Amino acid sequence: MKFDKERGSSTALECFMKDHNISEEEAAKKFREMIENTWKVMNEECLRPTPIPRDGLKMLLNVARVGETVYKHRIDGFTEPHVIKDHIRAMLVDFMSI
């Protein structure tokens, strides 16, 4: 988000605020609701019978998990990697030292 502002780009939150003429707090609350509802739908869909291989579903679910982890709490873990350092360590370092 900081990177976007430095480039002069708007964030999704800013665009949503402008489109709906609402405050930052209201937009953030709406984003949290949308994320929560999307997780519910994704989890329900993963439990239904489907012709899509389970490995494919797991891959898509993991992409969503990464996105949530990297951008959780409105902090940009992509351009500020110290924010997700513990997650990276848990996946790559601690996981290997069994």
Side-chain angles (χ1 to χ4, degrees), residues 38-48 61 65:
T38 301
W39 273 114
K40 287 177 186 177
V41 169
M42 287 172 44
N43 286 323
E44 288 172 3
E45 290 299 320
C46 283
L47 295 173
R48 296 177 196 261
L61 196 58
R65 288 175 178 152

Side-chain angles (χ1 to χ4, degrees), residues 80-92:
E80 297 184 39
H82 67 278
V83 172
I84 59 171
K85 180 178 84 174
D86 291 338
H87 292 289
I88 293 169
R89 179 181 303 278
M91 287 188 313
L92 301 176

Side-chain angles (χ1 to χ4, degrees), residues 26-57:
E26 291 172 306
K29 180 180 178 187
K30 183 64 178 169
F31 270 40
R32 286 189 300 273
E33 290 171 4
M34 288 189 291
I35 291 167
E36 186 175 323
N37 289 336
T38 301
W39 273 114
K40 287 177 186 177
V41 169
M42 287 172 44
N43 286 323
E44 288 172 3
E45 290 299 320
C46 283
L47 295 173
R48 296 177 196 261
T50 177
I52 300 170
R54 286 279 167 210
D55 287 343
L57 291 175

